[in-house]
Amino acid sequence: MAARHDPLVVTARLEAGAVLTRPPMLDSLLEWVVHNRAGRRLPPARGESCTPLDVPLALSDCGRYRLCSAAQYRAELHEVRHKHRRAPWIEYARLGSDKIRRVDTSAGANKSYRVPFVVVHPESDTLVWYAVGDLEDVRDLVSEVHYLGRHRSSGKGRVLGWEVAPSAVWPGFPVEHDGHPLRPLPDADGFGRRGFAVLMPPYWDTTREEPCRLPAHW
Amino acid sequence: MRELIRHEFLVEAVEPIAHMQGTLGNHGLFMRRKIRQPGGRFVSVPYLTGDAIRHQLREAAAYATLDAAGLLDNPQLSEGALRLLFNGGMVTGKGDAAKVNVERYRELVTLFPPLALFGGCTDNRPMDGQLCVDEGNLVCSETWHLVPAWAQQWLTDQGEAEHVPSFREQLEEVQRVRMDPTLLPEKVRLLSTDEQVRINGRLLASEQAHVSGDSKAAGESKSAMLPRTYERLATGALFVMGVEARTYSELEYDACLYVLGCALNGLRVGGMRRTGHGRLRFRAGARIRFQAAMGNLESLDTTIAGKVGDLYKAHVRERAEEIGVWLRGTIHS
């Protein structure tokens, strides 16, 4: 639980875009750092029950989500790139056992692939989150997040720097703006597309989805 | 001992680099990505993919481990083991992905530390790695604003920053031709008589088709000669590479440094390696520790420090038999 509840604006400056299938959530980034600092390396499995970790963000009144928005950005450019895999057939021949007689690169386990993915270049190369939490603690945790989005292990979504500053507030801050949700919110009256989403990290665990009001681009 | 550490390297192409993203007809295009310029416009700049560099590190880790375990002389590895070592494995449907077997994970990363660093799929479960490998940025006027400060300073000290060339100055287009031996009379003489008659007939048909303007016949009788062009980065091109690692023990840290050292000692990227392309050499490096109290920059030299890898090699040697059994047995990857 956050010791102080300051309205915050958190900005990440990217090197050259990121692979964002959905806008990243601030609390999941902070939980990832807390998880790593505790020396835990494996994320929970899908469907496994997990206790929310202690991150310096305030909880909503209903206690079902944290007071932080999804990343806010306007995509300026979409760039298609590809990921390749080729079976290491030379190594199969050099280092493999006699049992390996044939490598089929057109089907099965050794099939070569060329998968496209889209790199999003947000305006000014920045992603912005709004939150209520402890400025110093949030700054300390985000300083360890150096990559965002998918394909981080091969350098996509590299973060050049973070800025955490006090923010101006508005009605519904930080989870709504003009009545429109800035993150998935429990389903209730109001603006926003309806759909299924997860309210607390890990957001990729779709077994915990529930009816929600969804932000744009979700 | 948890360490979050970043290594940055300045490497130089000692051979031209041919790292293609695709072809347009008979023309090979160099891999490019969009980089925003300080003024706001985007430029497509040649680069080395993080995947290509990461694969070199993975390969170095695999060979270093097999070497330390004494398995290179008679490896006899299983297909699953090879896929895991050189490709990171795959989800096979064998095993239970729905359960996190922490004990099994600990066993595997203790037995084979590169698995922790690079991640991979074992027992039908993808495991995250602890290594992020940046895209290799070409040092050029279009990417100068992304070159780390230490590298800019180093290049300035070496007198190499007076003129930072544009990527267009460093990119060259070359042509290669796969010859058709049937066009060379001295090679045709090596054919059997029947074949010589057939080849001469084809040449005559080709000439006639050309004269009569019959494109269908010209297509059917054309030679197999293949001229092709491709883009490559010239020798001397400089790249900035970055590798960020999270390690949780001295052994993992040592393994990481050793793998980096091994990879940098014979770094090659891209294609056409058998025809004088792709070799890179280390020029300078820096290590950045992210611990708040340390937040500093150390410069690296071109050699692997004396004790780097000792701990890792001893660990692998001690478990050589176990590693051999594992790699030759059934791995679900």
XYZ file of all heavy atoms in Angstrom, chain A residues 15-16 32 36-37 39 41-43 45 48 76-77 79 81 83 85-88 90-92 94-98 100 109-110 114 121-122 124-125 144 146-147 152-156 158, chain B residues 2 4 6 21 33-34 36 42 47 50-51 54 63 66 72 75-77 79 82-83 86-87 90 98 100 105 109 116 125 130-135 137 146 244 246 248 252 274 290:
774
model
N 13.652 4.614 -26.929
C 14.730 4.819 -27.909
C 14.161 4.859 -29.326
O 14.413 5.794 -30.079
C 15.754 3.697 -27.808
C 16.945 3.899 -28.732
C 17.792 2.653 -28.874
O 17.280 1.633 -29.362
O 18.959 2.710 -28.501
N 13.405 3.848 -29.681
C 12.865 3.786 -31.047
C 11.622 2.907 -31.075
O 11.599 1.862 -31.705
C 13.920 3.251 -32.007
N 6.517 -6.143 -11.307
C 7.612 -6.932 -11.917
C 8.931 -6.624 -11.212
O 9.716 -7.520 -10.900
C 7.685 -6.596 -13.408
C 8.749 -7.335 -14.145
C 8.668 -8.594 -14.654
C 10.059 -6.853 -14.465
N 9.849 -8.925 -15.272
C 10.715 -7.888 -15.178
C 10.739 -5.668 -14.234
C 12.010 -7.757 -15.632
C 12.039 -5.536 -14.696
C 12.660 -6.568 -15.383
N 11.179 -9.132 -8.912
C 12.593 -9.419 -9.191
C 13.490 -9.081 -8.016
O 14.448 -9.787 -7.734
C 13.059 -8.615 -10.410
C 12.725 -9.340 -11.682
O 12.978 -10.519 -11.769
N 12.127 -8.659 -12.619
N 13.184 -7.976 -7.367
C 14.024 -7.582 -6.226
C 13.944 -8.609 -5.112
O 14.867 -8.756 -4.336
C 13.582 -6.215 -5.699
C 14.097 -5.073 -6.541
C 13.805 -3.744 -5.881
N 14.310 -2.651 -6.687
C 14.115 -1.381 -6.406
N 13.435 -1.027 -5.326
N 14.615 -0.432 -7.187
N 14.051 -11.587 -5.570
C 14.825 -12.745 -6.014
C 13.975 -13.813 -6.664
O 14.445 -14.906 -6.945
N 12.248 -15.386 -9.772
C 12.542 -15.253 -11.198
C 11.404 -15.678 -12.083
O 11.214 -15.159 -13.155
C 13.777 -16.071 -11.537
C 14.984 -15.612 -10.765
C 16.194 -16.104 -11.405
N 16.727 -17.274 -10.742
C 17.906 -17.769 -11.025
N 18.628 -17.237 -11.958
N 18.349 -18.815 -10.392
N 10.651 -16.674 -11.638
C 9.587 -17.187 -12.505
C 8.287 -16.436 -12.270
O 7.878 -16.258 -11.121
C 9.354 -18.664 -12.219
C 10.348 -19.635 -12.811
C 10.005 -21.046 -12.379
C 10.355 -19.551 -14.326
N 7.624 -16.003 -13.316
C 6.298 -15.417 -13.131
C 5.308 -16.521 -12.782
O 5.587 -17.695 -13.032
C 5.992 -14.814 -14.507
C 6.812 -15.607 -15.454
C 8.021 -16.086 -14.717
N 2.189 -19.059 -13.111
C 1.611 -19.692 -14.307
C 0.199 -19.170 -14.510
O -0.410 -18.622 -13.597
C 1.590 -21.203 -14.131
N -2.879 -19.600 -12.005
C -2.407 -19.799 -10.635
C -2.848 -18.619 -9.771
O -2.784 -17.469 -10.215
C -0.876 -19.866 -10.661
C -0.252 -20.270 -9.357
C 1.280 -20.220 -9.428
O 1.808 -19.728 -10.445
O 1.916 -20.645 -8.475
N 2.349 7.525 -33.732
C 2.673 8.391 -34.858
C 3.028 7.565 -36.089
O 2.813 7.983 -37.221
C 3.855 9.292 -34.476
C 4.146 10.357 -35.503
C 5.264 11.289 -35.066
O 5.580 11.335 -33.864
O 5.814 11.958 -35.949
N 3.582 6.383 -35.826
C 4.037 5.548 -36.944
C 3.970 4.086 -36.528
O 4.293 3.750 -35.384
C 5.488 5.926 -37.278
C 6.123 5.270 -38.478
C 5.738 6.004 -39.746
C 7.643 5.293 -38.350
N 5.445 0.368 -37.693
C 6.491 -0.185 -38.563
C 6.429 -1.712 -38.476
O 6.470 -2.270 -37.377
C 7.844 0.317 -38.037
C 9.025 -0.053 -38.866
C 10.331 0.327 -38.181
O 10.319 0.763 -37.011
O 11.366 0.172 -38.834
N 8.030 -5.245 -38.788
C 9.307 -5.956 -38.853
C 9.028 -7.451 -38.728
O 7.894 -7.855 -38.506
C 10.228 -5.496 -37.721
C 10.644 -4.049 -37.876
C 11.884 -3.802 -37.065
N 11.851 -2.495 -36.459
C 12.496 -2.179 -35.354
N 13.220 -3.079 -34.726
N 12.433 -0.972 -34.874
N 10.344 -11.466 -37.275
C 11.170 -12.310 -36.428
C 11.348 -13.630 -37.159
O 10.375 -14.156 -37.701
C 10.435 -12.558 -35.114
C 11.301 -12.407 -33.902
C 10.494 -12.522 -32.646
C 11.390 -12.779 -31.466
N 12.396 -11.792 -31.228
N 13.009 -17.688 -37.427
C 13.652 -18.818 -36.773
C 14.032 -19.831 -37.839
O 13.235 -20.124 -38.722
C 12.744 -19.491 -35.762
C 13.511 -20.509 -34.922
C 12.606 -21.326 -34.072
N 11.964 -22.351 -34.873
C 11.414 -23.450 -34.352
N 11.403 -23.623 -33.066
N 10.845 -24.350 -35.126
N 15.259 -20.268 -37.739
C 15.698 -21.331 -38.644
C 16.213 -22.470 -37.787
O 16.914 -22.224 -36.805
C 16.821 -20.817 -39.556
C 16.287 -20.172 -40.806
C 17.407 -19.688 -41.681
N 18.030 -18.517 -41.106
C 18.922 -17.780 -41.739
N 19.314 -18.096 -42.930
N 19.441 -16.709 -41.170
N 15.885 -23.688 -38.152
C 16.359 -24.836 -37.375
C 17.879 -24.892 -37.463
O 18.440 -24.643 -38.536
C 15.759 -26.124 -37.936
N 18.563 -25.184 -36.354
C 20.031 -25.241 -36.379
C 20.507 -26.539 -37.032
O 21.101 -27.379 -36.384
C 20.409 -25.164 -34.896
C 19.248 -25.776 -34.180
C 18.028 -25.496 -35.010
N 22.802 -27.268 -39.134
C 24.243 -27.544 -39.197
C 24.689 -28.171 -37.872
O 25.466 -29.131 -37.837
C 25.029 -26.263 -39.515
C 24.691 -25.831 -40.941
C 26.533 -26.464 -39.343
C 25.327 -24.560 -41.405
N 24.145 -27.624 -36.767
C 24.474 -28.189 -35.457
C 23.870 -29.591 -35.305
O 24.461 -30.449 -34.666
C 23.974 -27.280 -34.334
C 24.882 -26.100 -34.032
C 24.792 -24.995 -35.056
O 23.786 -24.966 -35.804
O 25.725 -24.175 -35.147
N 22.687 -29.801 -35.900
C 22.107 -31.147 -35.873
C 23.107 -32.142 -36.491
O 23.314 -33.236 -35.986
C 20.815 -31.207 -36.690
C 19.578 -30.666 -36.004
C 18.449 -30.355 -36.739
C 19.530 -30.492 -34.630
C 17.300 -29.856 -36.137
C 18.395 -29.995 -34.017
C 17.284 -29.683 -34.771
O 16.154 -29.209 -34.169
N 26.430 -31.675 -36.964
C 27.735 -31.729 -36.307
C 27.681 -32.339 -34.910
O 28.571 -33.070 -34.510
C 28.295 -30.309 -36.164
C 28.910 -29.758 -37.417
C 29.546 -28.441 -37.077
N 29.893 -27.710 -38.278
C 29.984 -26.401 -38.330
N 29.758 -25.680 -37.252
N 30.311 -25.794 -39.445
N 26.655 -31.932 -34.160
C 26.640 -32.283 -32.740
C 25.563 -33.292 -32.365
O 25.544 -33.787 -31.254
C 26.416 -31.017 -31.891
C 27.344 -29.832 -32.148
C 26.879 -28.609 -31.379
C 28.767 -30.169 -31.726
N 24.651 -33.554 -33.300
C 23.515 -34.413 -32.968
C 23.873 -35.885 -32.947
O 24.899 -36.308 -33.491
N 23.002 -36.658 -32.319
C 23.235 -38.108 -32.250
C 22.876 -38.751 -33.587
O 22.261 -38.118 -34.448
C 22.387 -38.714 -31.133
O 21.049 -38.776 -31.557
N 23.243 -40.020 -33.718
C 22.974 -40.732 -34.976
C 21.483 -40.886 -35.247
O 21.066 -41.184 -36.360
C 23.611 -42.135 -34.932
C 25.103 -42.034 -34.696
O 25.653 -40.962 -35.015
O 25.697 -43.004 -34.195
N 19.332 -38.604 -35.307
C 18.797 -37.515 -36.133
C 19.232 -37.783 -37.570
O 20.398 -37.636 -37.915
C 19.323 -36.145 -35.663
C 19.099 -35.964 -34.169
C 18.678 -35.006 -36.445
C 19.741 -34.736 -33.590
N 8.423 -29.697 -35.766
C 9.190 -29.006 -34.725
C 10.278 -28.095 -35.289
O 10.652 -27.109 -34.661
C 9.815 -30.039 -33.808
N 10.804 -28.424 -36.465
C 11.917 -27.632 -37.000
C 11.492 -26.665 -38.100
O 12.332 -26.160 -38.852
C 12.995 -28.574 -37.534
C 13.607 -29.371 -36.424
O 14.058 -28.807 -35.435
N 13.583 -30.689 -36.551
N 8.885 -16.914 -40.251
C 9.148 -15.483 -40.408
C 7.858 -14.799 -39.960
O 6.878 -14.744 -40.702
C 9.477 -15.184 -41.877
C 9.625 -13.715 -42.224
C 9.995 -13.604 -43.697
N 9.825 -12.272 -44.232
C 10.702 -11.281 -44.146
N 11.840 -11.471 -43.519
N 10.458 -10.107 -44.675
N 5.617 3.592 -32.919
C 6.407 4.770 -32.520
C 5.427 5.815 -31.992
O 4.713 6.448 -32.764
C 7.162 5.342 -33.721
C 8.232 4.433 -34.231
N 9.551 4.521 -33.831
C 8.185 3.392 -35.092
C 10.264 3.581 -34.434
N 9.452 2.886 -35.210
N 5.351 5.981 -30.674
C 4.407 6.976 -30.149
C 4.919 8.395 -30.404
O 6.117 8.590 -30.621
C 4.355 6.678 -28.657
C 5.557 5.886 -28.355
C 6.076 5.284 -29.615
N 6.481 11.799 -29.993
C 7.605 12.232 -29.147
C 8.325 11.061 -28.479
O 9.082 11.247 -27.527
C 7.160 13.194 -28.041
O 6.311 14.166 -28.558
N 8.056 9.851 -28.933
C 8.668 8.647 -28.343
C 8.427 8.552 -26.849
O 9.295 8.088 -26.095
C 10.175 8.596 -28.646
C 10.447 7.967 -30.002
O 9.615 7.165 -30.449
O 11.476 8.294 -30.626
N 14.219 0.771 -12.646
C 14.739 -0.556 -13.022
C 14.010 -1.157 -14.219
O 14.277 -2.280 -14.611
C 14.649 -1.520 -11.840
C 15.736 -1.266 -10.827
C 15.955 -2.435 -9.895
O 15.523 -3.560 -10.227
O 16.542 -2.219 -8.837
N 13.770 -1.108 -17.923
C 14.565 -0.579 -19.039
C 14.017 -0.973 -20.402
O 14.557 -0.546 -21.421
C 16.018 -1.031 -18.900
C 16.636 -0.596 -17.612
N 17.506 -1.359 -16.888
C 16.464 0.538 -16.893
C 17.855 -0.731 -15.792
N 17.229 0.413 -15.770
N 13.016 -1.812 -20.431
C 12.400 -2.224 -21.698
C 10.897 -2.360 -21.482
O 10.472 -2.774 -20.398
C 12.958 -3.576 -22.173
C 14.452 -3.548 -22.439
C 15.363 -3.745 -21.417
C 14.944 -3.298 -23.714
C 16.727 -3.696 -21.638
C 16.304 -3.259 -23.955
C 17.194 -3.454 -22.911
O 18.534 -3.409 -23.152
N 11.242 -7.832 -25.661
C 12.226 -7.053 -24.910
C 13.599 -7.712 -24.953
O 14.610 -7.038 -24.967
C 11.787 -6.919 -23.443
C 10.470 -6.212 -23.260
C 10.128 -6.096 -21.790
N 10.004 -7.381 -21.126
C 8.924 -8.151 -21.145
N 7.859 -7.755 -21.792
N 8.895 -9.310 -20.511
N 13.602 -9.056 -24.977
C 14.889 -9.747 -24.903
C 15.736 -9.478 -26.134
O 16.941 -9.684 -26.110
C 14.678 -11.245 -24.729
O 14.049 -11.754 -25.877
N 15.133 -9.023 -27.210
C 15.953 -8.669 -28.365
C 15.894 -7.156 -28.603
O 15.962 -6.685 -29.736
C 15.543 -9.448 -29.606
O 14.173 -9.303 -29.837
N 15.775 -6.415 -27.526
C 16.037 -4.976 -27.569
C 14.885 -4.082 -27.983
O 15.072 -2.878 -28.117
N 13.678 -4.668 -28.193
C 12.572 -3.799 -28.588
C 12.025 -3.086 -27.355
O 12.007 -3.648 -26.263
C 11.448 -4.593 -29.256
C 11.675 -4.890 -30.728
C 12.680 -5.941 -30.928
C 12.996 -6.283 -32.345
N 14.116 -7.221 -32.438
N 13.191 -0.322 -25.834
C 14.194 0.137 -24.865
C 13.820 1.525 -24.336
O 13.451 2.417 -25.101
C 15.567 0.175 -25.519
C 16.602 0.530 -24.513
C 18.008 0.242 -24.888
N 18.805 0.839 -23.857
C 19.725 1.757 -24.050
N 20.035 2.143 -25.252
N 20.365 2.270 -23.025
N 21.983 -10.292 -6.234
C 21.262 -9.891 -7.434
C 21.986 -8.723 -8.074
O 22.331 -7.759 -7.396
C 19.838 -9.494 -7.059
C 19.010 -9.025 -8.222
C 17.605 -8.689 -7.742
N 16.862 -8.014 -8.776
C 16.872 -6.701 -8.966
N 17.606 -5.914 -8.211
N 16.155 -6.157 -9.926
N 21.916 -6.116 -11.497
C 21.304 -5.651 -12.742
C 22.401 -4.856 -13.433
O 22.830 -3.815 -12.933
C 20.090 -4.773 -12.421
C 19.286 -4.254 -13.600
C 18.810 -5.380 -14.479
C 18.079 -3.469 -13.098
N 24.547 -3.650 -17.126
C 24.447 -3.400 -18.561
C 25.856 -3.276 -19.143
O 26.701 -2.589 -18.576
C 23.664 -2.102 -18.789
C 23.529 -1.703 -20.220
C 22.644 -0.475 -20.405
N 22.712 -0.046 -21.777
C 22.042 -0.627 -22.772
N 21.222 -1.615 -22.518
N 22.164 -0.211 -24.011
N 17.158 -7.842 -45.016
C 15.768 -7.934 -44.546
C 14.871 -8.565 -45.598
O 13.765 -9.001 -45.306
C 15.221 -6.575 -44.133
C 14.916 -5.613 -45.246
C 14.268 -4.328 -44.713
O 14.245 -4.078 -43.520
N 13.769 -3.516 -45.609
N 15.644 0.018 -39.822
C 14.546 0.355 -38.910
C 14.393 1.863 -38.853
O 15.336 2.614 -39.162
C 14.776 -0.220 -37.519
C 15.918 0.410 -36.754
C 15.838 -0.054 -35.320
N 16.983 0.425 -34.561
C 16.966 0.609 -33.257
N 15.883 0.373 -32.580
N 18.036 1.030 -32.619
N 13.207 2.280 -38.442
C 12.912 3.714 -38.387
C 13.516 4.318 -37.127
O 13.314 3.788 -36.030
C 11.405 3.944 -38.349
C 10.675 3.396 -39.545
C 10.579 4.410 -40.633
C 9.665 3.900 -41.738
N 9.813 4.665 -42.962
N 13.816 8.090 -35.189
C 13.374 9.487 -35.189
C 14.595 10.401 -35.055
O 15.459 10.185 -34.208
C 12.433 9.739 -34.013
C 11.777 11.106 -34.033
C 11.136 11.400 -32.708
N 10.065 10.481 -32.386
C 8.808 10.630 -32.820
N 8.495 11.667 -33.535
N 7.892 9.756 -32.510
N 11.364 10.835 -39.437
C 11.886 9.472 -39.318
C 12.793 9.146 -40.502
O 12.517 9.565 -41.630
C 10.741 8.464 -39.296
C 10.021 8.417 -37.984
C 8.870 9.160 -37.778
C 10.497 7.634 -36.951
C 8.197 9.114 -36.571
C 9.835 7.570 -35.728
C 8.687 8.317 -35.546
N 20.673 -1.445 -39.492
C 21.023 -1.852 -38.130
C 21.188 -3.357 -38.092
O 20.859 -4.060 -39.056
C 19.943 -1.391 -37.135
C 18.688 -2.239 -37.143
C 18.363 -3.072 -36.086
C 17.813 -2.211 -38.233
C 17.210 -3.853 -36.099
C 16.665 -2.985 -38.244
C 16.378 -3.807 -37.181
O 15.243 -4.576 -37.206
N 18.588 -7.204 -32.797
C 18.909 -7.752 -31.480
C 18.852 -9.272 -31.511
O 19.625 -9.940 -30.831
N 17.948 -9.814 -32.323
C 17.820 -11.279 -32.417
C 19.109 -11.902 -32.958
O 19.543 -12.941 -32.478
C 16.665 -11.655 -33.350
C 15.337 -11.191 -32.811
O 14.726 -11.921 -32.035
O 14.926 -10.073 -33.167
N 21.752 -11.644 -30.272
C 21.404 -12.548 -29.177
C 21.710 -13.994 -29.571
O 22.175 -14.779 -28.760
C 19.918 -12.396 -28.857
C 19.507 -12.916 -27.511
C 18.096 -12.458 -27.211
N 17.790 -12.623 -25.809
C 17.387 -13.767 -25.265
N 17.238 -14.825 -26.013
N 17.135 -13.846 -23.980
N 28.376 -23.439 -27.098
C 29.685 -24.042 -27.385
C 30.603 -23.988 -26.161
O 31.346 -24.926 -25.884
C 30.339 -23.352 -28.584
C 29.828 -23.886 -29.910
C 29.093 -23.093 -30.767
C 30.076 -25.203 -30.290
C 28.605 -23.586 -31.973
C 29.601 -25.710 -31.490
C 28.871 -24.900 -32.330
O 28.389 -25.401 -33.512
N 29.450 -26.759 -23.798
C 29.791 -28.099 -24.294
C 31.294 -28.325 -24.193
O 31.757 -29.415 -23.851
C 29.335 -28.252 -25.758
C 27.814 -28.275 -25.988
C 27.506 -28.284 -27.474
C 27.188 -29.483 -25.309
N 32.384 -31.780 -26.643
C 32.501 -31.414 -28.060
C 33.128 -32.514 -28.912
O 32.900 -32.574 -30.114
C 33.288 -30.104 -28.223
C 32.477 -28.821 -28.109
C 33.359 -27.608 -28.303
C 31.327 -28.779 -29.110
N 29.751 -35.360 -29.182
C 28.570 -34.781 -28.529
C 27.351 -35.702 -28.491
O 26.759 -35.903 -27.428
C 28.289 -33.516 -29.341
C 29.133 -33.569 -30.545
C 30.145 -34.645 -30.384
N 26.919 -36.235 -29.650
C 25.762 -37.168 -29.705
C 24.535 -36.631 -28.966
O 23.895 -37.333 -28.187
C 26.153 -38.534 -29.116
C 27.179 -39.297 -29.911
C 26.637 -39.770 -31.259
O 25.584 -40.378 -31.332
N 27.354 -39.470 -32.326
N 24.215 -35.352 -29.210
C 23.111 -34.722 -28.490
C 21.774 -35.088 -29.115
O 21.686 -35.388 -30.305
C 23.269 -33.206 -28.501
C 24.607 -32.658 -28.012
C 24.576 -31.142 -28.012
C 24.925 -33.166 -26.623
N 17.882 -34.265 -30.405
C 17.333 -33.171 -31.213
C 16.751 -32.072 -30.310
O 16.960 -30.885 -30.533
C 16.249 -33.728 -32.138
C 15.823 -32.760 -33.205
C 14.786 -33.364 -34.157
O 14.868 -34.560 -34.447
O 13.907 -32.616 -34.600
N 19.547 -29.980 -28.839
C 20.106 -29.039 -29.817
C 19.181 -27.852 -30.026
O 19.629 -26.710 -30.125
C 20.348 -29.750 -31.144
C 21.636 -30.557 -31.176
C 21.627 -31.532 -32.322
C 22.834 -29.634 -31.292
N 17.885 -28.158 -30.079
C 16.926 -27.061 -30.266
C 16.955 -26.128 -29.058
O 16.887 -24.921 -29.195
C 15.530 -27.638 -30.454
C 14.903 -27.173 -31.731
C 13.506 -27.607 -31.998
N 12.965 -28.627 -31.167
C 12.703 -29.870 -31.566
N 12.970 -30.226 -32.802
N 12.175 -30.740 -30.757
N 20.469 -24.126 -29.152
C 20.738 -23.188 -30.243
C 19.523 -22.371 -30.671
O 19.670 -21.396 -31.406
C 21.317 -23.933 -31.451
C 22.685 -24.470 -31.180
C 22.872 -25.768 -30.768
C 23.792 -23.647 -31.290
C 24.135 -26.252 -30.490
C 25.063 -24.116 -31.022
C 25.233 -25.428 -30.614
N 18.336 -22.797 -30.270
C 17.128 -22.058 -30.671
C 16.242 -21.673 -29.504
O 15.209 -21.064 -29.705
C 16.275 -22.913 -31.627
C 16.539 -22.592 -33.070
O 17.390 -21.776 -33.367
N 15.818 -23.217 -33.950
N 11.233 -25.259 -27.798
C 9.885 -24.926 -28.246
C 8.856 -25.599 -27.357
O 9.159 -26.553 -26.643
C 9.681 -25.354 -29.690
C 9.724 -26.847 -29.892
S 9.399 -27.309 -31.562
C 7.713 -26.796 -31.737
N 0.846 -25.826 -17.337
C -0.035 -25.130 -16.400
C 0.553 -25.066 -14.999
O 0.062 -24.360 -14.148
C -1.383 -25.841 -16.356
N 3.940 -24.445 -12.464
C 5.323 -23.970 -12.367
C 6.047 -24.916 -11.442
O 5.797 -24.939 -10.236
C 5.372 -22.556 -11.750
C 6.780 -22.029 -11.793
C 4.456 -21.631 -12.479
N 12.834 -26.122 -12.253
C 13.486 -24.944 -12.833
C 14.841 -24.721 -12.153
O 15.851 -24.501 -12.815
C 12.584 -23.724 -12.658
C 13.215 -22.443 -13.150
C 13.251 -22.156 -14.510
C 13.791 -21.546 -12.271
C 13.841 -20.996 -14.970
C 14.384 -20.384 -12.721
C 14.403 -20.108 -14.070
O 15.001 -18.965 -14.528
N 18.463 -24.710 -14.107
C 19.353 -23.546 -14.228
C 20.643 -23.744 -13.439
O 21.660 -23.138 -13.746
C 18.665 -22.220 -13.838
C 17.513 -21.905 -14.756
C 18.238 -22.206 -12.397
N 19.102 -20.017 -17.609
C 18.567 -18.895 -16.823
C 18.778 -17.584 -17.579
O 17.901 -16.728 -17.624
C 19.243 -18.837 -15.470
N 7.043 -25.489 -21.136
C 6.760 -24.194 -20.523
C 7.838 -23.200 -20.943
O 9.023 -23.441 -20.736
C 6.782 -24.343 -19.008
C 6.462 -23.051 -18.295
C 6.587 -23.235 -16.799
N 6.793 -21.930 -16.182
C 5.821 -21.054 -15.961
N 4.604 -21.351 -16.305
N 6.090 -19.889 -15.416
N 16.954 -13.728 -18.718
C 17.349 -12.585 -17.896
C 18.277 -11.654 -18.666
O 18.978 -10.843 -18.091
C 18.035 -13.091 -16.622
C 17.110 -13.874 -15.736
C 17.813 -14.783 -14.760
O 17.246 -15.757 -14.317
N 19.066 -14.503 -14.438
N 18.283 -11.818 -19.970
C 19.210 -11.066 -20.802
C 18.414 -10.279 -21.837
O 17.556 -10.842 -22.508
C 20.081 -12.086 -21.530
C 21.537 -11.814 -21.801
C 22.282 -11.523 -20.528
C 22.155 -13.025 -22.489
N 18.664 -8.998 -21.942
C 18.049 -8.211 -23.015
C 19.186 -7.727 -23.914
O 20.135 -7.104 -23.419
C 17.295 -7.009 -22.458
S 15.806 -7.468 -21.600
N 19.088 -8.029 -25.168
C 20.148 -7.664 -26.104
C 19.606 -6.606 -27.061
O 18.631 -6.860 -27.774
C 20.621 -8.905 -26.890
C 21.749 -8.535 -27.830
C 21.056 -9.994 -25.944
N 20.222 -5.446 -27.051
C 19.721 -4.333 -27.867
C 19.974 -4.565 -29.347
O 20.836 -5.362 -29.728
C 20.432 -3.034 -27.486
C 20.037 -2.578 -26.101
O 19.163 -3.218 -25.498
O 20.618 -1.583 -25.640
N 19.257 -3.811 -30.144
C 19.548 -3.785 -31.574
C 20.944 -3.151 -31.730
O 21.308 -2.264 -30.961
C 18.546 -2.897 -32.318
C 17.108 -3.031 -31.855
C 16.328 -4.103 -32.580
O 16.938 -5.112 -32.985
O 15.115 -3.933 -32.733
N 23.062 -0.623 -33.172
C 22.920 0.641 -33.902
C 24.183 0.978 -34.680
O 25.264 1.020 -34.096
C 22.642 1.792 -32.919
C 21.171 1.920 -32.597
O 20.326 1.429 -33.348
N 20.869 2.565 -31.498
N 21.757 8.798 -30.440
C 21.465 7.604 -29.633
C 22.742 6.914 -29.153
O 22.685 5.964 -28.373
C 20.642 6.599 -30.455
C 19.232 7.035 -30.869
C 18.584 5.969 -31.733
C 18.371 7.326 -29.657
N 21.918 -6.238 -21.501
C 21.555 -5.990 -20.111
C 21.206 -7.315 -19.455
O 20.462 -8.104 -20.042
C 20.353 -5.048 -20.087
C 20.246 -4.313 -18.792
C 19.255 -3.168 -18.892
O 19.428 -2.300 -19.758
O 18.319 -3.179 -18.098
N 20.194 -9.575 -15.795
C 19.865 -9.721 -14.383
C 20.473 -11.037 -13.947
O 20.210 -12.071 -14.557
C 18.347 -9.830 -14.194
C 17.643 -8.553 -13.874
C 16.162 -8.809 -13.695
N 15.549 -9.351 -14.884
C 14.840 -10.467 -14.913
N 14.654 -11.171 -13.808
N 14.301 -10.901 -16.030
N 21.466 -13.610 -10.514
C 21.070 -13.824 -9.129
C 22.130 -14.576 -8.327
O 21.905 -14.898 -7.174
C 19.750 -14.594 -9.073
C 18.583 -13.783 -9.573
C 18.268 -13.748 -10.923
C 17.808 -13.023 -8.706
C 17.207 -12.996 -11.393
C 16.742 -12.264 -9.167
C 16.448 -12.262 -10.509
O 15.394 -11.511 -10.972
N 26.037 -17.186 -12.094
C 25.341 -16.631 -13.260
C 26.071 -15.395 -13.793
O 26.172 -15.193 -15.002
C 23.911 -16.240 -12.888
C 22.932 -17.379 -13.024
C 21.535 -16.971 -12.622
O 21.196 -15.774 -12.663
O 20.788 -17.871 -12.234
N 30.721 -17.149 -45.546
C 31.730 -17.987 -46.202
C 32.441 -17.238 -47.313
O 33.396 -17.732 -47.890
C 31.078 -19.251 -46.750
C 30.632 -20.207 -45.667
C 29.697 -21.260 -46.199
N 29.045 -21.967 -45.115
C 27.965 -21.516 -44.488
N 27.413 -20.374 -44.863
N 27.433 -22.202 -43.497
N 23.520 -0.890 -12.077
C 22.334 -0.085 -11.798
C 22.034 0.074 -10.312
O 21.087 0.741 -9.962
C 21.112 -0.690 -12.501
C 21.174 -0.496 -13.987
C 21.422 -1.558 -14.822
C 21.009 0.762 -14.530
C 21.493 -1.376 -16.192
C 21.075 0.947 -15.896
C 21.321 -0.124 -16.725
